[in-house]
Amino acid sequence: MIKGLYSAASAMITGVYRQQAVAHDIANVDTPGFKQILTSLEDFDTTYAYTQTTDNSSSSPVYLGEIGLGVMAAPETTDFSQGELKTTDSELDFAIEGEGFFMIQTADGVRYTRDGRFSRDAAGNLVNVDGYRVLGPNVQSITLPEGEVSVSTDGTIYVNDVNSGTIGLAYFEDLTTLSRDGENTFSSTATPATTGGGMILQSTLEQSNVDSAQLMTQMIEISRSYQAAQQMVQNQDELLGKTISTLGKTS
C-alpha cells in the first residue's frame, strides 16, 4: 500500500516539473532563436516482489519480478532543430542557416546563442538584445562605424562598402556539450570549431522552434495525469486508514 503512495506522489512531483518546462517553452514561443526544452521520464525506484508457494513444497519465497515505485524526471534535453527563418526590416538582424551559434561576451564568459537581434551601442560596438558584445572569429569585439551595413553569408561586415569586421560562428559537433545558461544562451564544456557553422543571413531572424499545438496537448496530458495521481493518493490514504482501523479492532 505504501508502494502505491510512492508511485502516486512521484507522479505528482514529476508532473509539476514537466508543467514548468512546458510553461517555459510556451512563454518563449515568440523569442527568436529559442530552442525548445524536452522532458522525459525514468523509473523513480524499483523493489523486488516475492510470493509464498501454496503447496508448502518449499519454505523459500518465489521471486516474481520487480515492481516500479513511480517515475521521476530524466535530465532535460534541448531540441536544437532549426526554427523558421523570417525576413525583417532591420539591417542588424541576423539568422544562421546551419548548426552554428553566435558568440556573445557576457560577464560570466563567452556564451552561445541563435538569437541574432543585434544593434550598435553608444560606442559603436555590435551588441545583442541584452547589451552583450557580439564576437568575431577570434573572439574579439566588433566595432562598426556609422553607415549602411551589409553582411555576406560568411559573416563579413561591410559599412559603406568598406570591410569592417566579421561575425564569428561557433560550431559544435556534439551538441550534448551545450547546457542552457540563461533564457536564450548556452555554455559549453567543449572548445567550438570556427568553421562548419553555416551561413549568416542578414535582415533575417530565426524563429523559436517551439511547437505550440504539441505543447498545448502536453499540458492537457500532464494535467490529467496529475489529477489521476492525486486521486490515487487520496484512495491510498483512505485504504491505509481503513487498514489501521481494522487492525486496531482485531488486536
Side-chain angles (χ1 to χ4, degrees):
M1 199 172 297
I2 296 297
K3 295 182 179 67
L5 283 174
Y6 276 128
S7 298
S10 68
M12 291 176 66
I13 294 171
T14 302
V16 171
Y17 165 77
R18 292 182 65 202
Q19 193 80 312
Q20 290 174 341
V22 170
H24 183 73
D25 283 343
I26 291 177
N28 287 280
V29 68
D30 293 322
T31 303
F34 180 80
K35 299 304 176 186
Q36 181 174 338
I37 299 172
L38 303 177
T39 60
S40 59
L41 305 178
E42 58 186 24
D43 288 336
F44 170 66
D45 200 359
T46 58
T47 186
Y48 299 118
Y50 297 90
T51 188
Q52 191 71 44
T53 57
T54 58
D55 57 4
N56 295 322
S57 61
S58 173
S59 59
S60 301
V62 178
Y63 173 71
L64 297 178
E66 294 185 358
I67 299 176
L69 296 179
V71 296
M72 62 184 294
E76 67 180 37
T77 57
T78 300
D79 176 9
F80 283 106
S81 62
Q82 183 165 307
E84 179 185 353
L85 301 181
K86 181 178 179 180
T87 301
T88 73
D89 58 4
S90 173
E91 64 181 10
L92 292 180
D93 280 346
F94 301 98
I96 303 169
E97 189 170 29
E99 299 181 349
F101 293 82
F102 297 114
M103 296 182 288
I104 307 297
Q105 182 65 58
T106 73
D108 297 318
V110 178
R111 296 295 181 264
Y112 309 97
T113 184
R114 297 278 295 192
D115 186 352
R117 292 175 291 173
F118 301 156
S119 62
R120 290 185 182 93
D121 66 10
N125 296 304
L126 188 65
V127 297
N128 77 339
V129 68
D130 296 315
Y132 295 126
R133 293 186 180 186
V134 180
L135 300 177
N138 297 319
V139 198
Q140 79 281 8
S141 300
I142 302 169
T143 303
L144 302 180
E146 290 296 326
E148 183 178 350
V149 177
S150 63
V151 178
S152 62
T153 57
D154 67 356
T156 303
I157 306 171
Y158 299 91
V159 180
N160 295 330
D161 296 325
V162 177
N163 189 328
S164 302
T166 304
I167 298 174
L169 290 185
Y171 172 69
F172 298 89
E173 289 188 2
D174 183 6
L175 293 175
T176 62
T177 63
L178 290 165
S179 58
R180 197 174 296 271
D181 177 79
E183 288 295 317
N184 208 15
T185 58
F186 298 89
S187 59
S188 178
T189 57
T191 300
T194 55
T195 58
M199 298 187 300
I200 294 178
L201 305 180
Q202 187 179 13
S203 297
T204 307
L205 286 177
E206 179 185 359
Q207 303 303 292
S208 166
N209 68 352
V210 170
D211 185 332
S212 301
Q214 179 189 56
L215 290 180
M216 293 305 297
T217 301
Q218 286 185 21
M219 288 191 72
I220 294 172
E221 180 266 323
I222 292 169
S223 177
R224 290 177 177 173
S225 297
Y226 185 90
Q227 292 172 358
Q230 188 177 43
Q231 183 62 51
M232 185 181 293
V233 169
Q234 294 174 352
N235 293 341
Q236 291 290 321
D237 183 61
E238 291 176 3
L239 288 172
L240 187 59
K242 290 178 181 179
T243 300
I244 293 173
S245 176
T246 301
L247 290 175
K249 291 177 182 179
T250 57
S251 60

